[in-house]
């Protein structure tokens, strides 16, 4: 199970220290939420911040979540800033297959995100161009929201659709309301990557919180695999 802590919940006055602490705790991924104030009702940061963070860390895998309109305009600039993966939203791109293919051509991993109210039917046609699917378990735009319970069925449906398309190696990421209570449940439903924000950065002991969430998710995943739950 991969944990990808969301930088949006970090202390922005001490980002270098936050990155060092994550690496020391064994974290290998960092989730970077890019918001434009148009696709979602909030604005965060862009390429200059990612470039600065990349100078501070050569080890972390930068999982960049583009919550922006017309993401295809910015692919190369995010690559140059240091992104390892770009995740676009199905709702924000008129030609997702072309954009996903271009992300890969530029040397990055390609992901596609679905808002809570968006059907995943297009995965049937887009699976060959994907490295990861992001199931949003909250409506995007703000951190600290509560997990939407219907997301469990959506994760299961995503896993089933990917398996049916011969794309069982495509990762499933879940973002929104992930903590010690929800992590094992989404892991059992078929998730591979968990985005944790407040559960990590707002914890009294972030390192202990990371260990507890990962252990719970790993155990639930192993039990689900043993039962053949995803076959």
């Amino acid at each position: 199970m991969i944990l990808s802590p969301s930088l949006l919940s970090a202390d922005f006055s001490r980002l270098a220290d936050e990155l060092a602490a994550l690496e020391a705790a064994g974290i290998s991924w960092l989730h970077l939420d890019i918001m434009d104030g148009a696709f979602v009702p909030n604005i965060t940061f862009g390429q200059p911040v990612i470039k600065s963070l990349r100078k501070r860390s050569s080890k972390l895998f930068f999982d960049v979540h583009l919550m922006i309109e017309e993401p295809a305009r910015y692919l190369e600039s995010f690559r140059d800033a240091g992104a390892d993966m770009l995740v676009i939203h199905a709702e924000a791109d008129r030609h997702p297959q072309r954009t996903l293919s271009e992300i890969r051509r530029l040397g990055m991993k390609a992901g596609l995100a679905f808002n809570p109210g968006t059907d995943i039917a297009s995965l049937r046609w887009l699976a060959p161009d994907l490295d990861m699917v992001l199931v949003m378990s909250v409506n995007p735009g703000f951190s600290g929201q509560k997990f939407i319970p219907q997301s469990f069925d959506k994760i299961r449906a995503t896993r089933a659709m990917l398996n049916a398309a011969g794309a069982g190696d495509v990762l499933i990421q879940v973002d929104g309301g992930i903590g010690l209570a929800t992590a094992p449940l989404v892991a059992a439903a078929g998730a591979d990557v968990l985005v944790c924000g407040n559960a990590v950065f707002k914890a009294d002991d972030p390192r202990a919180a990371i260990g507890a969430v990962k252990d719970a998710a790993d155990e639930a995943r192993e039990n689900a695999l043993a039962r053949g739950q995803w076959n």
Side-chain angles (χ1 to χ4, degrees), residues 68-90:
I68 62 176
E69 298 286 357
E70 300 182 50
R73 297 179 294 171
Y74 306 105
L75 305 183
E76 192 167 351
S77 65
F78 277 107
R79 189 274 311 273
D80 293 343
D84 294 298
M85 173 181 283
L86 289 182
V87 179
I88 65 170
H89 266 264

Side-chain angles (χ1 to χ4, degrees), residues 95-137:
H95 305 286
Q97 190 281 331
R98 182 169 64 193
T99 303
L100 293 166
S101 178
E102 179 65 6
I103 291 171
R104 282 180 158 184
R105 189 192 72 78
L106 290 169
M108 296 173 286
K109 300 292 186 182
L112 186 64
F114 292 89
N115 283 340
T118 302
D119 199 299
I120 59 169
S122 61
L123 281 181
R124 178 182 177 187
W125 314 112
L126 295 172
D129 300 291
L130 287 170
D131 297 291
M132 189 174 77
V133 177
L134 169 51
V135 176
M136 291 299 301
S137 47

Side-chain angles (χ1 to χ4, degrees), residues 1 3 178-180 183-184 194 196 199-200 208-218:
M1 183 62 60
L3 296 190
I178 300 298
L180 189 56
L194 307 181
C196 300
V200 170
I210 287 169
V213 170
K214 190 175 186 308
D215 288 347
D218 283 341

